[in-house]
Amino acid sequence: SVHRGLGTWPHGHIRVGVERRLSVPLGAWICGAMASFGGLADYYGVLEVDKDADEATIKKSYRKLVLQWHPDKHQDNREPAEEQIRRINDAYETLGNPFKRGQYEQQLLALEMKARGYQLDTTSIKPRMSIPKEFMLSPMGHPEKFVRTVGLSIFVQSRADTKTEFHDFFRDAKFSLWWLPEVNNMCRLRPTSTAGVGQDGGMNFNFALHRTVNTSEVTLSPGTFAESCNVIAVASKVFKGAFRFEAAAFPGHYLAFKPPAHLRMMGGIVDEATSIDFMLVDYAQMFKYINAEEVLMPAVTRLGGKADYVYLTSIRLDTNVLLYFQSVLQKPVWTDEDFEMFFSSRSSEWDYDPSCLRVRLRTKHEQLSNSLRRSRNIAEVAASISAASEADANRLPLDTLEMVLVALAAPPPPDADVTHLINILDAQKKVLLSLPRACEEDDVPFRRVLDVYGKVMAFGGASPDAKVLKWRSEASQDFAYLVSDHVRKKDVKDDLTLEVFTLICAMPLPWKKCSEKLKKLADPILEDQPLEKVLPILNSTVQALPASQPMAEYLASHARTLLKKADPAAAAQVLEAMVNGGLLLEKVPRDLERILQDAPFHLVASITAGLGERGADGEEMRTIAAFLSKETSSMETLQPALLLRLTVAAAKSAAVADKALDAVAAAAAMTLPGWSVDDASKLLLAVAKARGGTDGEGVAALYTRASEVLGVKMKEFSSTQLIKVVFAISKVQACRPLLVAAAFELGGDRLRELPSQQLLLLTQGLLPLGDGHAALSLIFDFWASGFNEATRAEDLLTESMGLDMVTNRRKDLEAKGQLNADQIAKLGQTVAATATEHVSFWAALANRIIGQGAFEGLAEELTSSGRAALKAALPEGSGPKFEGRSTLLQIVTGQKKAKKDKDKDKDAGPDREVGQDRERDRGRDERGKGRDRERDRGRDRDRDHTRDRTKDDHNREKESVPILRSSDASQVAPGSEAESKAPAQKTGSKGTKPPSSSSSDASAKKRKQKRPAEGGQPDAKKQKGKGDAAAKPAMRIVMDPEEIKKHQEAEEEKRRLMRERRAKMKGDDGKRKSASAVGEKRHAQVQAVEDLDAESASAVGEKQHQQVQTVEDLDAESTSAVCEKQHQQVQAVEDLDGGEQEPQKQQTEDVEDKKRRLQRERRIALMNQIQDKPKSAVVDLDDKSKPAVVDLDD
């Protein structure tokens, strides 16, 4: 009712009425009311002014409060004073900035309207038009907080919550909306700093709501799933200018800020402290949130304020300072009193000199020192150190660090909160690591360095926290290097005493650098010192081995000189240290023998174990071991670890095994129930490996006791420990029940976990059980299953991946533990005598070696040792019987080749030659078909142009002429047919139309273009330059009979080779049939022409590769007809030859295809007519009775 009676908030008389009704100051009422509306700070109440107070009133109140609450005036209650002065500064920073004050008052008014139940009419608000393109999200009730992204997380933070710089803070607080077309005002929220990262240009706010999940954290993700990232922007009905973001797929669920820093997507009823309304502040207003300190600090730094004082006059003239007061505060630059008030309220960061009106920045180191001086308790000390950087902590004086170390050593109070505990741990780390650096930088004396080191090593007590122990170790390393420098570079002789020398040798020194110097310094210090004083130094150097080898040997030699006068216990400790460090081992047995009766028994046993572990032997060792075996009662008092060491020594020293093993085993049998399963398995394995003494009663008692005690602990053993037990007791009859128990424990699911090498050891250990034993049969079945699985897998992979990849994969698996071929063979040899009846095991092993399917087996990888192992496993006439035994033996003995070798032989056999011949013929057929199609198209195109071809065009095709012999008439034999027909040829050359064959001309042109000019041919360009030479009558020259003879012999040889090749192909496959109706001689002639045309391999000139034609007594017209008919006949033969090779193509509706089919039919009919002509019309190159005349015009 009080809230409803407020009236309009801004008016003063209403405020007075409120105060009267509430009987409290207005500021107190606002503070209480705002606490229920999200905790909005009451800045007017902090400054003790009214809401309508002007700037002068606010400033006056601010000055009064700063002077009142200055921390220097409250030394007894400094912490509350500092907290209050911080609130005063925050309030004045907001109310003194017009923009921030406007935002603050807007939220005050909105909260008052919400309290009155007033709701806005948002029907005219269009989010797409009202929301800025880039904005900052500020939850209502928290004007100082903004939504920010940190990695993929989203927080709501203020400037005080993070130590980031101004621009970095607001860079991660800039957001934009990705509007979606599906529903009006549907969008995705995304930070602009992630532009280009996710889909559609950025990362999105994502949440994980479900019908059963009402609340979800909001994170950044590139996902664009509608149910997890789509939201609807809705104008707030409570706060003017604010918006809400509702999950598009979950109505009633809104983006919400729940203090202190969580951003969630929440549904249902939310508490009043949670805000679902956000102010979307235009990012262009970002610079108005900068405070005065963020402007003045860089300005003073630029003016040199970190090193010296800067006058206020210079600060006022700074460009950024002027711009801040003009644009942000919108007021004149402060007066001297304003600056004094500002710097005085922040005295921890600023050192202001009012007398000279100047100021400087306090250094971080200075701020830390002042903070530590003002600290009154451990919490304040820890908070100050934790807030400082490591560099500032390193710069603290050594005295200050020592005092802080003492303060931090006190335990925290029982009621300390988490922050206090974290501050203490952080401070302890920084102080411990800063002390060595402080000693180094301040050039601290050597003795004080050691004193500080002692304090550091005592920090945290004898049982410190793990983190403190780690930091102590790191600091100890730094101190050790510092001490080493002092020892090597400075004169520290006067500072060295026995205690100091002992402390130095216990440090983790860089021994290689300072060992020689320490040896020189040790002589006067260790002189006349008893053995008890030398022993700690010796132990320290032994622990630092091998780096401290020279110093340790020096100390061991010095200690031996004191053994005779020393107490036997101290002498035994020295000998134990020498054995542990491997120092002067050849002299230890003799020294130990002298003190056997008087030295402590456990030290004698430890020294004996150490010597035995290093393989020591001899009469002295036998004497010592015999002494131990007689002390049975003392032996039973030894710890299991020491008894185990003695057993291991028996495996390396024959003296210990012969004289002491039985007594050690008897003592171990008495105490075995208290042993761990790991130590028990090591004990049995060490006894099995002993170099003697295993037939005594003590060892037998140990085996019997082990079978009783360990049989019920099988579940506690690991697989590795069980294998050790099996291997140790496999041949011990008394432990057969334990062996069976271990076998069955391993025979279950544990087998699948064992590597192949461990499985091999297990198999060897279980062989004494015999072939018929169920546990051993289980192991063999597992081996068979593994072999079959590997063989089947490689068979399938060989077909899909290829042999090389499978081989590489096998090698990788073998490197990881899979058995290779030799190891499989060795396994077969090992189990051959026991597993004779286990057929499935041997069949699987044989398949693994021989191969199965595409898998080629491992026979190729067997070495001589592997083959020998298989021969021994499968002796002739005996051994296991299984399928594939004979094949396996034949491969092993070399009587039969492996599968891979067979494949290689096949690849190298005649099949490959036949395949190559078939491939060549297939390629030739394809080329022939391509030429058929090309000739068909060329003939169809050129036939229409043949009749119109002129004499000059025909003559130009004759220009490329080979170099031949002279065309003198005497070259023609008298009375020959060529001579009688020469005049007719001349006559025809003048008046008769030259022979025309478009397809022949076209093919001739192509051949001329493809073949390079050979020796003796003139260049075609030179022929073109002869003017009218092309128009002259064709020149006829009779070729030399010798050249003709050579050409005919070459052609005959080519035809013979072709006949042999075809006959061989017909004999190989028996399926190929001849498609030609022409005789073999004519077909071979045509094929030779084609080969000459395609391969260009003849040694004769280019013209001799072309069609050779016998010129008879024909006139020009008959010659032309013969040429035309001959071409058609050859073409018809080629068509018939190709027709049988390739089925005739289906008829189509295309006009051009029909036309070519009709033309082919006409050519076939013409060919039939030509076949009826006299044979003299066709050139027969085999007919050598007539001279061959080359027509150069063709």
Side-chain angles (χ1 to χ4, degrees):
S1 61
V2 172
H3 292 166
R4 292 192 183 118
L6 287 176
T8 306
W9 170 253
H11 298 290
H13 67 280
I14 299 299
R15 184 179 306 105
V16 175
V18 171
E19 291 177 356
R20 289 175 180 174
R21 293 184 186 185
L22 297 178
S23 299
V24 294
L26 179 62
W29 176 84
I30 293 176
C31 186
M34 294 307 102
S36 63
F37 300 147
L40 183 64
D42 177 20
Y43 291 144
Y44 290 105
V46 172
L47 294 181
E48 300 179 359
V49 296
D50 294 336
K51 184 178 182 296
D52 56 355
D54 57 11
E55 182 183 346
T57 304
I58 293 174
K59 183 183 294 186
K60 182 178 179 180
S61 178
Y62 170 65
R63 290 178 179 175
K64 181 188 71 172
L65 293 173
V66 167
L67 294 175
Q68 177 184 346
W69 290 99
H70 198 285
D72 292 342
K73 296 181 180 181
H74 300 270
Q75 294 293 340
D76 296 335
N77 295 308
R78 190 177 184 89
E79 186 175 358
E82 289 180 346
E83 182 64 26
Q84 184 63 23
I85 203 72
R86 192 178 299 111
R87 292 196 191 99
I88 293 170
N89 288 333
D90 291 342
Y92 184 70
E93 182 65 38
T94 298
L95 299 183
N97 186 322
F99 178 77
K100 292 182 180 180
R101 184 176 182 181
Q103 295 283 327
Y104 176 73
E105 291 186 346
Q106 181 183 4
Q107 297 211 17
L108 276 179
L109 179 60
L111 289 173
E112 187 271 335
M113 293 174 64
K114 178 181 180 181
R116 294 175 56 191
Y118 181 80
Q119 289 192 347
L120 299 172
D121 181 12
T122 60
T123 56
S124 61
I125 299 178
K126 298 181 179 180
R128 288 179 181 256
M129 304 299 295
S130 303
I131 296 177
K133 183 177 180 182
E134 294 180 338
F135 53 85
M136 300 175 290
L137 284 166
S138 178
M140 293 302 299
H142 306 272
E144 79 287 356
K145 290 182 177 289
F146 296 91
V147 178
R148 295 184 69 245
T149 61
V150 181
L152 297 180
S153 302
I154 304 174
F155 299 99
V156 182
Q157 298 174 331
S158 66
R159 298 293 309 284
D161 296 333
T162 177
K163 298 180 181 181
T164 56
E165 297 294 334
F166 174 80
H167 290 285
D168 295 335
F169 180 89
F170 285 103
R171 178 195 61 204
D172 296 330
K174 181 167 66 170
F175 299 92
S176 61
L177 295 179
W178 181 274
W179 297 102
L180 299 171
E182 288 83 353
V183 178
N184 193 23
N185 298 328
M186 182 183 290
C187 57
R188 294 173 187 155
L189 265 167
R190 56 179 48 174
T192 57
S193 60
T194 64
V197 176
Q199 294 183 0
D200 300 328
M203 305 277 278
N204 301 311
F205 278 34
N206 269 256
F207 41 87
L209 292 177
H210 190 262
R211 56 186 179 85
T212 60
V213 179
N214 203 36
T215 302
S216 170
E217 292 285 344
V218 180
T219 59
L220 287 183
S221 171
T224 57
F225 189 54
E227 293 187 0
S228 61
C229 68
N230 288 1
V231 295
I232 298 176
V234 182
S236 174
K237 293 186 177 182
V238 180
F239 300 114
K240 184 178 180 180
F243 289 87
R244 299 175 179 179
F245 295 95
E246 183 181 18
F250 300 92
H253 292 72
Y254 293 91
L255 189 69
F257 164 59
K258 186 175 181 63
H262 293 284
L263 190 68
R264 294 188 173 102
M265 187 64 74
M266 302 178 64
I269 300 175
V270 297
D271 54 34
E272 293 186 353
T274 302
S275 176
I276 61 174
D277 298 294
F278 293 86
M279 294 295 297
L280 275 59
V281 185
D282 192 342
Y283 191 75
Q285 305 294 329
M286 174 266 296
F287 71 95
K288 294 185 178 181
Y289 285 92
I290 193 169
N291 56 46
E293 191 166 12
E294 290 172 329
V295 175
L296 292 176
M297 191 172 292
V300 173
T301 301
R302 284 193 300 272
L303 294 171
K306 282 189 173 182
D308 199 358
Y309 285 93
V310 176
Y311 289 94
L312 298 183
T313 306
S314 302
I315 298 175
R316 289 193 185 94
L317 297 178
D318 186 83
T319 305
N320 290 338
V321 174
L322 292 173
L323 185 62
Y324 171 71
F325 279 94
Q326 293 173 3
S327 302
V328 179
L329 299 184
Q330 300 177 4
K331 63 180 67 173
V333 182
W334 287 339
T335 62
D336 293 343
E337 291 78 9
D338 295 332
F339 276 112
E340 180 180 356
M341 194 60 57
F342 175 84
F343 293 133
S344 298
S345 65
R346 296 165 175 81
S347 58
S348 60
E349 293 89 11
W350 300 90
D351 180 15
Y352 181 70
D353 182 7
S355 61
C356 299
L357 300 179
R358 60 182 186 173
V359 68
R360 72 174 181 88
L361 273 169
R362 298 188 188 275
T363 63
K364 297 293 183 182
H365 169 65
E366 187 178 358
Q367 294 179 33
L368 175 59
S369 300
N370 293 336
S371 177
L372 290 174
R373 279 196 296 268
R374 294 193 299 265
S375 299
R376 302 181 310 277
N377 52 49
I378 182 61
E380 294 181 5
V381 171
S384 300
I385 296 292
S386 178
S389 64
E390 292 185 3
D392 294 330
N394 290 338
R395 296 185 58 191
L396 288 174
L398 181 59
D399 295 337
T400 303
L401 288 172
E402 287 187 275
M403 289 188 295
V404 172
L405 184 67
V406 173
L408 293 175
D415 58 344
D417 58 7
V418 177
T419 303
H420 184 188
L421 297 176
I422 292 176
N423 288 340
I424 287 179
L425 283 176
D426 190 35
Q428 289 175 344
K429 175 184 177 181
K430 290 178 179 177
V431 171
L432 286 172
L433 298 181
S434 297
L435 281 167
R437 299 180 179 90
C439 292
E440 183 178 4
E441 293 177 359
D442 296 344
D443 197 14
V444 178
F446 182 63
R447 290 300 295 269
R448 189 176 179 189
V449 171
L450 294 177
D451 291 340
V452 175
Y453 171 74
K455 293 179 181 179
V456 169
M457 299 309 294
F459 184 83
S463 301
D465 182 77
K467 293 183 178 179
V468 174
L469 185 61
K470 176 185 176 183
W471 300 329
R472 269 180 21 181
S473 177
E474 294 179 10
S476 176
Q477 292 283 350
D478 295 338
F479 273 112
Y481 276 90
L482 182 59
V483 169
S484 174
D485 291 341
H486 275 274
V487 170
R488 291 185 296 113
K489 300 177 181 179
K490 298 181 180 180
D491 186 9
V492 295
K493 186 182 299 183
D494 297 337
D495 295 325
L496 285 179
T497 62
L498 181 63
E499 292 76 12
V500 170
F501 192 80
T502 304
L503 179 63
I504 292 174
C505 290
M507 298 176 72
L509 296 170
W511 286 98
K512 293 183 179 180
K513 295 182 179 180
C514 62
S515 189
E516 294 298 327
K517 185 64 179 292
L518 285 175
K519 285 171 59 178
K520 295 179 182 179
L521 295 173
D523 285 331
I525 297 173
L526 299 179
E527 188 177 1
D528 299 331
Q529 296 292 340
L531 186 62
E532 290 80 4
K533 298 292 184 179
V534 179
L535 181 60
I537 305 175
L538 177 61
N539 287 330
S540 298
T541 54
V542 168
Q543 292 177 3
L545 288 171
S548 60
Q549 186 73 26
M551 189 66 183
E553 291 178 353
Y554 165 78
L555 291 173
S557 300
H558 179 76
R560 283 196 72 251
T561 62
L562 305 175
L563 287 178
K564 294 181 180 180
K565 301 179 181 180
D567 180 71
Q573 292 178 12
V574 169
L575 294 177
E576 184 183 28
M578 293 169 60
V579 171
N580 292 336
L583 305 171
L584 307 176
L585 292 177
E586 68 279 359
K587 299 179 181 180
V588 172
R590 185 179 304 171
D591 295 335
L592 179 60
E593 188 179 5
R594 287 199 297 264
I595 60 173
L596 276 179
Q597 303 297 330
D598 301 323
F601 183 80
H602 71 280
L603 290 177
V604 175
S606 177
I607 298 170
T608 306
L611 290 171
E613 288 170 344
R614 296 177 181 273
D617 236 324
E619 289 301 324
E620 292 89 355
M621 284 297 297
R622 289 183 176 275
T623 302
I624 297 169
F627 169 78
L628 292 178
S629 65
K630 295 176 182 179
E631 302 291 332
T632 54
S633 58
S634 299
M635 186 76 73
E636 294 175 0
T637 62
L638 297 179
Q639 294 295 321
L642 186 52
L643 290 174
L644 179 59
R645 287 185 59 198
L646 287 169
T647 310
V648 173
K652 299 180 180 180
S653 171
V656 176
D658 293 338
K659 298 297 182 179
L661 178 60
D662 197 60
V664 172
M670 296 294 294
T671 60
L672 190 61
W675 287 49
S676 66
V677 293
D678 185 46
D679 288 343
S681 62
K682 293 178 181 177
L683 174 68
L684 293 176
L685 187 61
V687 172
K689 293 182 177 180
R691 299 183 61 181
T694 57
D695 53 353
E697 295 180 359
V699 175
L702 174 63
Y703 284 137
T704 303
R705 188 65 169 162
S707 184
E708 297 172 357
V709 174
L710 302 182
V712 296
K713 295 184 177 181
M714 287 292 101
K715 298 293 183 181
E716 301 178 18
F717 283 85
S718 67
S719 298
T720 304
Q721 293 166 354
L722 282 176
I723 292 175
K724 290 180 181 178
V725 172
V726 168
F727 200 78
I729 65 175
S730 61
K731 298 180 180 179
V732 180
Q733 190 65 31
C735 292
R736 185 55 55 88
L738 181 61
L739 180 64
V740 173
F744 279 110
E745 179 63 28
L746 284 169
D749 295 335
R750 294 202 189 192
L751 279 181
R752 302 183 182 277
E753 303 172 0
L754 293 180
S756 299
Q757 303 296 335
Q758 292 187 5
L759 185 60
L760 188 60
L761 292 175
L762 176 64
T763 305
Q764 295 176 7
L766 295 180
L767 287 179
L769 294 178
D771 189 14
H773 199 279
L776 192 58
S777 297
L778 186 64
I779 300 295
F780 287 142
D781 289 338
F782 185 80
W783 276 115
S785 175
F787 288 153
N788 289 330
E789 184 178 351
T791 302
R792 190 181 310 110
E794 294 198 8
D795 177 23
L796 297 175
L797 291 175
T798 302
E799 295 179 353
S800 60
M801 300 169 54
L803 180 60
D804 292 340
M805 294 189 66
V806 172
T807 303
N808 294 335
R809 174 179 175 273
R810 186 193 311 132
K811 291 180 179 178
D812 293 339
L813 292 176
E814 290 174 356
K816 296 177 181 178
Q818 179 176 286
L819 297 186
N820 57 31
D822 285 348
Q823 290 171 334
I824 293 175
K826 188 65 177 178
L827 172 64
Q829 181 185 10
T830 303
V831 305
T834 306
T836 54
E837 302 300 328
H838 210 288
V839 178
S840 60
F841 167 79
W842 289 103
L845 185 145
N847 287 336
R848 188 75 182 136
I849 300 296
I850 299 172
Q852 183 177 9
F855 172 53
E856 297 183 346
L858 304 179
E860 282 280 324
E861 300 178 7
L862 283 173
T863 63
S864 57
S865 60
R867 295 176 185 272
L870 285 177
K871 290 179 183 179
L874 304 173
E876 186 176 357
S878 61
K881 308 296 183 182
F882 56 91
E883 183 180 358
R885 173 188 168 109
S886 59
T887 305
L888 179 60
L889 285 175
Q890 289 175 4
I891 291 178
V892 170
T893 57
Q895 299 177 11
K896 183 176 181 180
K897 293 186 178 180
K899 190 173 182 180
K900 185 184 293 187
D901 294 336
K902 289 183 179 181
D903 294 341
K904 290 181 179 179
D905 293 342
K906 290 180 180 179
D907 292 340
D911 291 344
R912 184 163 57 182
E913 296 179 1
V914 174
Q916 293 175 353
D917 292 341
R918 292 176 179 173
E919 190 66 28
R920 283 195 297 270
D921 292 341
R922 198 176 299 117
R924 187 186 303 109
D925 293 342
E926 292 295 330
R927 291 195 300 271
K929 294 172 185 176
R931 287 196 296 270
D932 290 345
R933 291 190 290 268
E934 185 67 25
R935 278 193 291 267
D936 289 344
R937 288 192 290 269
R939 189 183 301 110
D940 294 339
R941 287 193 305 267
D942 297 340
R943 180 164 293 168
D944 295 336
H945 301 285
T946 301
R947 298 176 182 177
D948 300 331
R949 185 177 280 175
T950 62
K951 181 178 181 179
D952 293 336
D953 293 334
H954 176 68
N955 291 333
R956 278 194 294 271
E957 293 178 1
K958 306 174 183 176
E959 290 177 2
S960 180
V961 183
I963 300 177
L964 300 176
R965 299 172 66 246
S966 175
S967 57
D968 192 73
S970 60
Q971 294 174 346
V972 183
S976 64
E977 293 183 11
E979 183 182 13
S980 61
K981 296 172 183 177
Q985 182 66 27
K986 291 181 181 180
T987 304
S989 65
K990 292 183 180 181
T992 309
K993 186 176 180 180
S996 173
S997 176
S998 60
S999 60
S1000 298
D1001 295 339
S1003 60
K1005 287 182 181 179
K1006 291 180 181 178
R1007 287 193 295 269
K1008 291 176 182 179
Q1009 292 173 358
K1010 292 181 180 179
R1011 293 172 180 156
E1014 300 182 12
Q1017 275 186 313
D1019 192 356
K1021 294 183 179 180
K1022 295 181 179 180
Q1023 294 289 339
K1024 291 183 179 180
K1026 294 182 180 180
D1028 298 333
K1032 295 181 179 180
M1035 179 175 59
R1036 292 192 166 275
I1037 303 176
V1038 179
M1039 295 180 59
D1040 188 9
E1042 293 295 331
E1043 293 180 357
I1044 294 175
K1045 184 177 180 180
K1046 291 180 181 180
H1047 173 69
Q1048 291 176 345
E1049 290 176 353
E1051 293 297 319
E1052 181 61 23
E1053 181 66 19
K1054 185 174 290 293
R1055 286 193 295 271
R1056 185 183 63 79
L1057 294 175
M1058 288 299 301
R1059 285 194 297 269
E1060 291 178 358
R1061 184 183 301 175
R1062 290 184 179 276
K1064 183 178 181 181
M1065 291 174 58
K1066 290 179 180 180
D1068 289 336
D1069 53 25
K1071 294 181 180 181
R1072 299 181 60 87
K1073 297 180 180 180
S1074 175
S1076 176
V1078 188
E1080 181 180 352
K1081 181 177 179 180
R1082 182 168 298 170
H1083 180 76
Q1085 182 179 6
V1086 173
Q1087 186 64 43
V1089 174
E1090 288 183 356
D1091 289 340
L1092 286 172
D1093 193 13
E1095 298 177 5
S1096 302
S1098 177
V1100 190
E1102 182 178 356
K1103 272 297 181 179
Q1104 295 175 353
H1105 282 284
Q1106 300 175 2
Q1107 182 181 9
V1108 181
Q1109 178 177 330
T1110 304
V1111 182
E1112 298 181 356
D1113 190 14
L1114 296 173
D1115 55 7
E1117 183 173 274
S1118 60
T1119 301
S1120 176
V1122 171
C1123 292
E1124 178 65 18
K1125 291 178 181 180
Q1126 181 182 359
H1127 169 74
Q1128 293 176 355
Q1129 181 180 10
V1130 171
Q1131 185 62 42
V1133 172
E1134 291 176 351
D1135 291 342
L1136 284 176
D1137 193 26
E1140 292 293 329
Q1141 302 291 332
E1142 180 182 12
Q1144 187 178 2
K1145 295 183 179 179
Q1146 297 181 359
Q1147 296 183 358
T1148 63
E1149 297 298 328
D1150 187 74
V1151 178
E1152 294 297 326
D1153 289 344
K1154 288 182 178 181
K1155 181 178 179 181
R1156 283 194 292 272
R1157 181 173 56 81
L1158 293 174
Q1159 292 174 349
R1160 184 183 294 274
E1161 293 175 356
R1162 287 197 296 269
R1163 285 197 297 271
I1164 293 174
L1166 182 60
M1167 183 199 67
N1168 294 332
Q1169 296 177 4
I1170 294 175
Q1171 289 179 346
D1172 297 332
K1173 295 288 183 179
K1175 190 175 180 180
S1176 58
V1178 180
V1179 177
D1180 185 2
L1181 296 179
D1182 292 338
D1183 190 358
K1184 303 178 182 178
S1185 59
K1186 301 178 181 179
V1189 181
V1190 178
D1191 186 1
L1192 299 182
D1193 294 339
D1194 188 356

